Amino acid sequence: MNSLINCCKLLSTRVNNVYMFGGYLSRGMAQTVDDYKIKWTRPVKIPSIDPRQTGDLGVKVSVKPTDIKTYYQNSKELQDADEIVKKMFSLDFQSKKEFKNLERERVIGLVKRHVCDRGSIEVRIAAITSEIQYLQKYIEEHPKNVKTKVFLKELIDKRKKFLAHLRRWDYRRFEWLLERLNLIYISQPKVPGPVTRKNALRQLTKNYCDGIIQQKLNAFKAELREQQKIFFAQKVKNLEYILEEEKKYGLEPTVTQEQLDAARQRVEELSKEIE
């Protein structure tokens, strides 16, 4: 019997709190996240080797099957040779390794400083980028190749180290390199932590409460603008009445036309803001 009485008292207290707070849940009523109608779903984990995480948007180089393989493009003997011989030296009759080598050389050609440049940091980043993008396509076809995934992760970490060094050393060249290689530099957080439901719900609850506060502030601002419009409209009428009475009795006018124009302009501005 006592427990039933206590439950009734608690229910009546909570109903009074809801009424006192204008229909909103009081602090004592909202005991769970469900009371705020907040739904949390665990974000999809993106692998570290995925292009969305590495920032690879694809280097703009074109390699066709009819292109001549690496180191044979400027051969005079090949230029004077028969069409069948030229076709045999094309990528269409070569292995995938030759296709990858030519693509890497063209990517390096976008950033190298001179013809014989093979050791600058820009060339090394370009060569690693070409290899990374080739392996990313390979992983899409062979997702269970763990050894290749580990090697790809090592290449990505190595390129991050080079990019961070170039960013500190020469920021203008760093931006130019990102533009040439079509990369996005994604800096990792200093203290990465796991995604937990508790911290995420805290942030969602904070965003929900901030949204309610902002809605009330916007409504209050709109109400103030409406009151300002009424005030300035009444001010225009009062100023016109005072000006007419002063002219009627031949007194020196205390209201100027500038004051009237300023009040009318303020009414127009407030009307446009409310609309």
Side-chain angles (χ1 to χ4, degrees):
M1 186 67 181
N2 292 332
S3 61
L4 182 61
I5 294 172
N6 291 332
C7 290
C8 293
K9 288 181 179 179
L10 181 63
L11 181 61
S12 62
T13 303
R14 291 184 174 181
V15 170
N16 290 333
N17 287 338
V18 173
Y19 177 77
M20 289 172 60
F21 283 85
Y24 290 97
L25 290 173
S26 67
R27 189 176 183 85
M29 280 293 292
Q31 296 180 353
T32 62
V33 182
D34 296 334
D35 295 334
Y36 292 112
K37 297 180 181 179
I38 295 175
K39 185 179 180 181
W40 180 80
T41 55
R42 182 172 292 277
V44 179
K45 185 177 180 181
I46 302 176
S48 59
I49 61 176
D50 192 273
R52 290 173 291 177
Q53 287 281 22
T54 60
D56 290 276
L57 302 180
V59 186
K60 298 177 181 179
V61 292
S62 60
V63 179
K64 302 176 182 178
T66 56
D67 294 339
I68 305 299
K69 71 176 188 176
T70 313
Y71 305 122
Y72 286 88
Q73 296 92 346
N74 300 325
S75 174
K76 295 182 180 180
E77 291 80 2
L78 188 60
Q79 291 177 2
D80 299 333
D82 192 61
E83 291 296 328
I84 297 177
V85 178
K86 292 182 180 179
K87 196 171 184 180
M88 290 179 63
F89 279 88
S90 64
L91 295 178
D92 201 10
F93 287 85
Q94 303 299 322
S95 62
K96 289 184 178 180
K97 185 178 179 181
E98 294 296 336
F99 189 92
K100 183 178 70 171
N101 291 341
L102 182 58
E103 188 175 15
R104 183 182 66 246
E105 291 299 322
R106 293 191 176 178
V107 172
I108 291 174
L110 295 174
V111 298
K112 64 182 180 180
R113 302 181 183 181
H114 49 81
V115 178
C116 300
D117 184 15
R118 305 297 295 182
S120 64
I121 189 170
E122 296 93 339
V123 168
R124 284 185 283 176
I125 291 173
I128 293 173
T129 300
S130 178
E131 186 70 21
I132 286 173
Q133 295 181 3
Y134 174 79
L135 292 178
Q136 284 174 342
K137 296 176 183 178
Y138 178 83
I139 290 296
E140 290 180 0
E141 300 176 0
H142 307 85
K144 294 185 179 181
N145 194 332
V146 180
K147 188 175 180 180
T148 305
K149 286 183 179 180
V150 173
F151 179 63
L152 177 57
K153 181 67 169 63
E154 291 175 354
L155 284 178
I156 292 170
D157 293 339
K158 188 176 182 180
R159 187 180 65 177
K160 284 181 181 178
K161 182 179 177 182
F162 286 153
L163 285 173
H165 172 71
L166 182 61
R167 189 169 183 261
R168 293 191 302 269
W169 173 58
D170 191 345
Y171 191 78
R172 292 183 64 184
R173 186 173 291 273
F174 166 77
E175 287 188 328
W176 173 81
L177 182 67
L178 293 182
E179 184 180 356
R180 295 290 289 174
L181 298 180
N182 201 15
L183 291 176
I184 297 177
Y185 181 72
I186 303 174
S187 59
Q188 298 298 321
K190 294 182 179 180
V191 186
V195 178
T196 59
R197 184 175 184 272
K198 186 175 182 180
N199 293 332
L201 285 176
R202 283 177 177 172
Q203 186 63 36
L204 288 173
T205 305
K206 182 178 180 300
N207 295 341
Y208 177 80
C209 296
D210 291 343
I212 293 176
I213 294 172
Q214 191 62 42
Q215 289 178 3
K216 291 185 177 181
L217 287 174
N218 294 337
F220 184 63
K221 288 179 181 178
E223 184 180 353
L224 288 178
R225 290 194 196 96
E226 187 65 33
Q227 291 179 2
Q228 285 181 348
K229 180 183 175 182
I230 297 172
F231 170 78
F232 280 102
Q234 185 64 35
K235 182 179 179 180
V236 170
K237 293 181 181 179
N238 293 339
L239 290 176
E240 290 176 348
Y241 175 76
I242 293 171
L243 185 60
E244 290 177 0
E245 290 295 321
E246 288 175 344
K247 289 181 179 179
K248 180 179 179 181
Y249 293 100
L251 299 175
E252 184 178 355
T254 57
V255 179
T256 62
Q257 189 64 33
E258 288 78 7
Q259 293 177 344
L260 277 171
D261 294 339
R264 292 193 185 103
Q265 184 178 0
R266 186 58 180 161
V267 172
E268 293 178 359
E269 291 176 357
L270 290 171
S271 301
K272 291 178 180 179
E273 289 180 3
I274 293 173
E275 292 176 358

